[in-house]
Amino acid sequence: MPNDGPGAPAPKSLTEALREIEVFADLTDDQLGWFISHASEEFYPAGTLILREGDIAETLNVILAGQIRYQSSNPELPVFLGHAGTVTGVLPYSRLKKYAGNVHAILPVRVVRLHRDLFPEMLERIPVLGPRLVAVMADRIRDVTRLGQQREKLVSLAKLAAGLAHELNNPASAVQRSAQNLRFCAAELRRANDELIERQMTPEQGRCIAELERSGIEQFGKTILETAMERSVREEEVTRWL
């Protein structure tokens, strides 16, 4: 059994470690003894690939220490983290046949495994584990459902954000084009003023041009946006007049 160094505390026995997990906490010594005598204890350093995607699922796994990450190559599936106290892998009445993702040890892992072929005898000798492990499976299903719903919400939020960005981009583009047009008009106005100055206009001519500018600005400010129907009516009037 690995040790972290001279000053590290001695690792707990399997009995002590299992009794800290709610599913096994109140089992009798005989029941817990049967489970331990038929299970295998394994250790994995941090970074170890414990299980590969596609491996046959054939053991119930109880994590006694450390942490694991379960991740599929399919980005549609969520990532799961398992820590000390987690009961995972195949459970009684579970339909799990193969692992849909890779399992890595994030921290040094200590795990106890019981092969599925022993499930009938386990449920006969320790009947209380039946409903408890079914509850664990129900919690797993709820977690998968919850993570799936969260992912759907995130996808919907991403679509909403993309649509909002598109809607905001259109007015922003219009403002940018208007600013460019304004700079062009300001440059044209400066050029026209320079030409008028070079022509040495009389005061009366200057007042006339200023009046035309004022009138044009006022008329522009009174411009009313028409509906398609109003514009069509006005076009017909102009056509008849012509």
Side-chain angles (χ1 to χ4, degrees):
M1 187 173 294
N3 197 303
D4 293 332
K12 297 176 181 178
S13 67
L14 280 180
T15 301
E16 293 173 325
L18 285 171
R19 287 208 180 279
E20 291 182 351
I21 299 173
E22 184 177 0
V23 174
F24 303 94
D26 60 351
L27 298 185
T28 66
D29 291 341
D30 289 342
Q31 291 173 331
L32 199 58
W34 181 93
F35 186 90
I36 292 173
S37 65
H38 290 79
S40 61
E41 183 180 16
E42 299 177 11
F43 298 87
Y44 299 94
T48 303
L49 176 61
I50 300 175
L51 293 167
R52 295 182 181 276
E53 185 172 344
D55 283 354
I56 297 175
E58 54 187 5
T59 59
L60 178 151
N61 307 316
V62 183
I63 302 175
L64 302 179
Q67 189 177 48
I68 62 171
R69 181 180 69 247
Y70 179 89
Q71 184 172 9
S72 172
S73 59
N74 182 358
E76 298 290 329
L77 298 179
V79 177
F80 293 95
L81 295 178
H83 51 79
T86 299
V87 180
T88 184
V90 183
L91 299 175
Y93 318 114
S94 171
R95 296 181 180 180
L96 180 64
K97 300 298 181 184
K98 294 183 179 181
Y99 290 102
N102 294 321
V103 179
H104 285 87
I106 299 177
L107 299 174
V109 170
R110 180 188 183 190
V111 62
V112 169
R113 290 179 166 179
L114 183 74
H115 198 277
R116 68 188 311 164
D117 291 346
L118 295 169
F119 286 177
E121 184 179 355
M122 176 187 71
L123 296 177
E124 181 181 349
R125 290 179 172 270
I126 318 174
V128 70
L129 284 184
R132 292 181 183 181
L133 294 176
V134 168
V136 170
M137 186 165 56
D139 289 340
R140 179 191 296 178
I141 294 172
R142 280 194 295 269
D143 289 341
V144 171
T145 303
R146 176 178 54 81
L147 289 173
Q149 291 172 344
Q150 288 178 349
R151 185 184 180 281
E152 290 177 358
K153 290 179 181 179
L154 289 174
V155 170
S156 299
L157 182 60
K159 291 181 179 178
L160 178 63
L164 181 60
H166 177 72
E167 293 297 327
L168 292 175
N169 185 55
N170 287 339
S173 298
V175 170
Q176 186 177 14
R177 288 193 299 270
S178 298
Q180 292 173 348
N181 292 334
L182 183 60
R183 286 195 294 270
F184 174 77
C185 292
E188 285 294 303
L189 181 60
R190 286 194 298 270
R191 184 188 61 77
N193 286 335
D194 291 341
E195 289 185 1
L196 291 174
I197 292 173
E198 291 177 357
R199 293 178 181 275
Q200 297 180 350
M201 295 183 300
T202 64
E204 184 178 355
Q205 290 173 327
R207 285 193 297 272
C208 181
I209 290 177
E211 178 62 23
L212 288 173
E213 289 181 350
R214 184 190 63 78
S215 176
I217 292 173
E218 289 181 355
Q219 187 63 33
F220 179 78
K222 294 178 181 178
T223 301
I224 300 176
L225 296 177
E226 299 175 328
T227 65
M229 182 63 70
E230 291 171 340
R231 188 180 305 111
S232 177
V233 171
R234 289 172 64 86
E235 289 173 353
E236 290 180 1
E237 292 176 353
V238 172
T239 301
R240 286 196 299 269
W241 180 81
L242 291 174

